Every structure is written in structure tokens, then in C-alpha cells.
Amino acid sequence: MATLILVRHGRSTANTAGLLAGWTPGVALDERGAEQAAALPGRLAGVPLAAVVSSPLQRCRETLAPLLAARPELTEHTDGRIGECHYGDWSGRKLSELADEPLMKIVQQHPSAVSFPGGESMRAMQARAVDAVREWDARIEEEHGGDAVFLMCSHGDIIKSLVADALGMHLDLFQRIHVDPCSVTAIRYTATRPFVFRLGDTGDFGSLIPRTSPETPKDPEADGNAVVGGGAGAA
């Protein structure tokens, strides 16, 4: 079967502002995110790509722009099913404020029971993303053969939910997974099971350095909670 490379978009202005972006328009890459995107063609230089599929949101399209410029033979496809979770009334709000919402405890501990006010359920988010990946995987294999590799650029919670599905994990466990901005996750689907070959690989170990300086921002997961939507990564 074909191999899927999942790329989380580069660091965005919402990531650094501590906002839950969702489908809020106009969320672009920040300076660091643009640098991450510029480095992506080099990181994938030896990997032949049969197709590139993107979330329709600006930060994903901007992440892929340097890669597509370096490989003009590729056509960018968009698929709304790998777009960010529809967080509804939570979209655009500060994560620090959302931490006090009663629903946040359910998001952290029992996400399969969560439906965001005015948005979608996390079950629906995962289901649409899995459907999209499976359909694209079958299409790529049919058109390019079982050794083909294709790339999808998506969002933190989407990628985490896809990894959980590939590992056979219940959605309630997906907050245990972390993917940094512009990280690479690779999954190969077969007739009997998926195999996860890479998970959140950035080639940068800065996020593993203990944060001991008072000037260093607190690790958002130090209290055991996951960052909804995905964190901003290492500085």
C-alpha cells in the first residue's frame, strides 16, 4: 500500500498568541513558521511524492508553498476533511481562558464525548479525517502503485486522531500524542494493519530541553494536559 506523510503546518500567529484558531480566517505562518516551511523541501528532498493534499486553511497552504515551488511537477489538491476541527464558539479564543471551561476537562480526559458548542464532535473530526486518508490512499495506490508516497498537510488534532486510529487507540487516548509544528509523521496502510514509521519528527530536539529558566515559557503539558489544537513547539 502507499505511504502517507503527514505534515503539521508550520508555527502560526495563533500558536504564538495562544489562540485556538480552528477555521478562523487569516491565520498565517509567523516568522518561525515561514522558516520551517522553507526548510521542508530540503527535509523531503530524497522522497518521491506522487501527490500533495492540503487542508484548505491558509497556514497549511503557506506551509506547502516552498515545497510546491521546488517541485513544479506536483499539483496541490485540497480536501476540507483534513481541515482543522470545527471548534465552534471556542474558535479564536485564548487557550488560557478555555482552560477554565468545564468542557475542557472532558476534552482532556474523555474526548470521544465532546461536541464543541456551535461546532463538531471530536468523533466526527476523526471520522472525516480517517475517511479522507483511506480514500486518498486507495486512489494513490491505484494510480501510482503500492510503493507510492503521498503527503498531506493538516493540523495538530487531526494528525493526532489519525495516529490514534493507525495505532488502534481509542480516541479517548489521543491526547497522549504530541506533534510539533511542521513535524513529519509517516504511516503506511496495508490490507491487515497500518504501520507508523515516524511520529512528530522535526529533527529538532529543542523541545526536550528542560525549561528551568524563569524567562522560559512554561511547558504547556507540564501539568499533564494536552494543548488543544497543538502547541507552538520549541522556540
Side-chain angles (χ1 to χ4, degrees):
M1 302 286 281
T3 298
L4 168 63
I5 294 177
L6 285 164
V7 176
R8 185 184 167 201
H9 62 77
R11 196 175 74 176
S12 73
T13 53
N15 292 146
T16 47
L19 300 176
L20 185 61
W23 285 71
T24 304
V27 176
L29 298 183
D30 67 5
E31 184 176 352
R32 174 61 178 151
E35 292 173 355
Q36 292 169 332
L40 191 59
R43 292 169 62 197
L44 298 175
V47 182
L49 296 175
V52 171
V53 187
S54 178
S55 155
L57 294 172
Q58 178 180 342
R59 52 199 183 273
C60 287
R61 307 289 296 277
E62 289 180 352
T63 298
L64 290 178
L67 177 65
L68 293 169
R71 302 198 190 190
E73 74 280 6
L74 290 174
T75 300
E76 179 188 27
H77 305 274
T78 58
D79 193 326
R81 294 175 297 175
I82 61 167
E84 183 61 284
C85 183
H86 291 276
Y87 296 114
D89 298 343
W90 280 27
S91 299
R93 293 182 58 189
K94 286 186 174 295
L95 288 164
S96 58
E97 298 173 355
L98 291 171
D100 296 327
E101 293 279 353
L103 183 62
M104 182 59 84
K105 183 177 181 180
I106 313 303
V107 171
Q108 294 292 332
Q109 299 182 17
H110 190 21
S112 66
V114 170
S115 290
F116 291 100
E120 70 178 332
S121 70
M122 300 196 90
R123 297 187 315 281
M125 173 199 75
Q126 184 186 45
R128 62 173 165 84
V130 170
D131 283 348
V133 163
R134 294 286 188 164
E135 288 176 22
W136 276 101
D137 184 76
R139 173 178 170 179
I140 296 301
E141 182 179 11
E142 181 179 359
E143 295 179 358
H144 300 278
D147 293 328
V149 181
F150 68 109
L151 182 149
M152 285 182 153
C153 186
S154 188
H155 307 265
D157 280 351
I158 296 290
I159 294 173
K160 287 164 56 178
S161 72
L162 288 168
V163 171
D165 172 75
L167 293 175
M169 293 170 57
H170 195 282
L171 183 61
D172 284 345
L173 302 178
F174 99 125
Q175 298 291 25
R176 302 183 182 197
I177 300 167
H178 180 86
V179 290
D180 273 339
C182 223
S183 63
V184 171
T185 295
I187 302 172
R188 181 175 299 151
Y189 293 90
T190 75
T192 55
R193 64 179 61 84
F195 293 90
V196 178
F197 288 92
R198 293 287 188 279
L199 176 59
D201 188 348
T202 63
D204 177 4
F205 295 99
S207 61
L208 302 181
I209 298 172
R211 305 189 182 194
T212 56
S213 169
E215 290 77 28
T216 304
K218 177 187 174 184
D219 184 343
E221 294 175 337
D223 59 1
N225 288 329
V227 181
V228 181

